[in-house]
Each structure stands twice: as structure tokens, then as C-alpha cells.
Amino acid sequence: MKDIRIFKVTAVIAFVVAMFFGNVPSADAAEKAADNYKLYCVQCHGTAGTGKWVNAPYLAVAPRNHVSAKDMSALSDDSVFKAIKSGGPAVGKSTQMPPFGGILSDAEVSGLVKHLRAMCKCKGK
Amino acid sequence: MMKRLVFMSGLLFAVMLASPVFAADGKALVGSNKCGSCHQMSGPAVTTIAEIMKRKAPDLFYSGNKFNKEWLVGYIQAPTTIRPAGTVYLNNIKVEGDTDVVANVPKCASKLSAGDAGAVADYLMTLKEDMPTGTAKIGKFKKAKAKSFMFKGEACNACHVDPRKGGGISCPTFEGIGTRLNPDWLYSFLKNPQHWDPKVWMAKRDFEEKDLQLMVNYLSSLK
């Protein structure tokens, strides 16, 4: 009986410790949304977010203008999340918008959705 | 007895110094030519965006996995541009109005003589990380299918130069890529780019085996 109690207490302690320390690496690894945008998105969407980066002339489809409130408010937060995580085809758009789910965590993708809303100064549909 | 021991160890020492002639020379030349002032010569690769922004040149600590030796020997005598917007494109753009333009892309400074280049390439080819070999199956493949998969389906040319039609410039050109790179490394990189460079700005995708082989065959054919 006592053994089981000790076991339970140890398990709870182990769980709590794991909760705290297990999270540390991923929190460390997460980058700020603005930095992720710079590294991964600027190459096609441009520093200003208007889609005028030098890769753009080679794209068959113009990258979405992220500062246009008109264009961006037509999209829901869910569909923006999906486009970033799974790529253009996931929302019926071009494959030239790549999927980033393989390298960005869901939290980082959500961070980017918020970042885009700040850029367009607009709300989702 | 003592004299003989000294003589023997002296001999052993001399042999040790002389034997890996090429490797030792190559390593010394990498040092005296300061390749390491721009290139990272030992792993691991950097893991944060802040560190990526300080990268001046591509990592060379897995050269032995990545390059074809014959290409390497030629390149370090007369380097050409592989990355049209430079190593880290973000460091070479100027914003004009709301448009980004590329400016002042730094080039590789290596200018070795033919003899030194051979020694340096020999040394660089000893720099290796864990990588399964024999994964690329080079053989017959359908070129039209490869092109349509890569340039229509996956839009690789959004970031890479397609030698026939041009393409994006934020990363290495596909021109001559088959001459440059080892097919096994190509396979490994396409399977998981972040294994080699955790903050590379190319997304990891879950390709099927047959598509990986198709891409590796097509890229290896671009000589």
C-alpha cells in the first residue's frame, strides 16, 4: 500500500518536472513571428509585404499583398493558418505558396497569422 | 639500447609527419588562406535566425558529403556565382519604395593555384557528417515528368533558377547542379533540408520515394 503511494507521488513529481522542463527546449526554439516572416516569407512577399521581392518576377502567380487590408480581410484566420501550414493548394491556391508545416510549429504559424493581421491592420473574414 | 629507442621513435615521428602529406597540406592551406574567416569549417550548423544573419558563406564542414571532388578542385581556383542574391539573401537587399532589389553580393575569395586546389579539395573531401550512402538510384527517368513535378507541381523555380526558363534567386541556382553535387547528398537534403541546416529557408516536404528519386535524377542530369 505504502509502496503504491510512493509510486504515485513520484509519478506526479516526475510529471510536473516533465511539464516544466520538457517545455523549455521548444520555447527556446520558437522564433519571433517577425523574424520568421523575415527569413521565410520576405523572399517572395518582400520586405514591405507587398509581394515585390526579386523572386516575384519568376512567379506565375503574384504573392498575396500582405499589407492590403482589402485582400487580407477577404481571408479568414483559419484559411491563412492553413495556407501557411499546408501551402497554397490546401486553400485552393497556387503551389507557389509553399507549405511550412514541416518546419514551423503550430504556435509559430499562429504567431505569423497575428503578425499578418498587424501588417494589414485588418481583421479576418 | 637507449640510442636505438630514440632513433626508432625519431623515425616513427618522421613517418607520422610525412604520411598524410595531402591532408596535412590541405588543412594548412585552408588555415593560411583564411577560408574559415567566411566559411564555418566545423559543425554543428547554427540554429537561430540571429546566427544565420551573421553567416558570410556556406558551411563547408560537410563538404565530403556534399560535393563532387572534380567540381570542387575547379571551383576553388576560380569561383563563380552560385547564389544570385548571395549566401543569406536578406543581407544583400535594399528596399526601394516598396520593392526589394539585390545589391553588392559578396563573392567567394578563394583563388588557389591548381596544385594547392588539389590538396585543399582532398582535405575538404575528408570533412564528413553521418549520411547513408547508396540512397540515390541514378538511372533512366522521364525528364518531362520530372520537369512537370518540380516546376509546375512543386514550384521549385519560385526560389531556384531553372536553367531553361530562369527562376527565383533567393538560393542556389540549378544550373550545373549535377556537376556540383553528390547525388546521395541531394537525396538526403531533399528528404530533410533542416538536417543539414536547421534554419535553411527551404520548407521540408514529405516526398514519396519515387518523387525523391525523380528529382535527384533530374538534378543530377543538369551538367
Side-chain angles (χ1 to χ4, degrees), chain B residues 14 34-35 45 51 55 62 80 90 116 122 135 149 161 172 199:
Chain B
K34 303 198 168 59
C35 312
E51 290 167 310
R55 182 183 284 168
Y62 48 88
T80 51
L90 284 168
D116 286 356
D122 275 337
T135 42
F149 180 79
V161 171
K199 286 290 174 192

Side-chain angles (χ1 to χ4, degrees), chain A residues 29 31 35-36 38-44 46-48 50 52-55 58-59 95-96 98-100 102-103 108, chain B residues 47-49 52 89-90 93 95 98-100 102 152-153 155 158-159 167-170 194 199-201 203-205:
Chain A
E31 300 268 6
D35 288 339
N36 276 333
K38 195 167 79 172
L39 184 69
Y40 299 112
C41 318
V42 161
Q43 55 188 327
C44 293
T47 301
T50 49
K52 292 182 183 161
W53 155 241
V54 275
N55 276 356
Y58 303 101
L59 297 172
T95 53
Q96 300 200 332
F100 287 93
I103 53 175
E108 286 180 300
Chain B
T47 55
T48 64
I49 295 176
I52 274 282
Y89 75 96
L90 284 168
I93 53 183
V95 185
D98 61 357
T99 308
D100 295 347
V102 178
K152 291 215 180 78
C159 299
I169 58 175
S170 58
Q194 280 68 30
K199 286 290 174 192
V200 64
W201 42 104
K204 173 179 183 291
R205 307 176 204 209

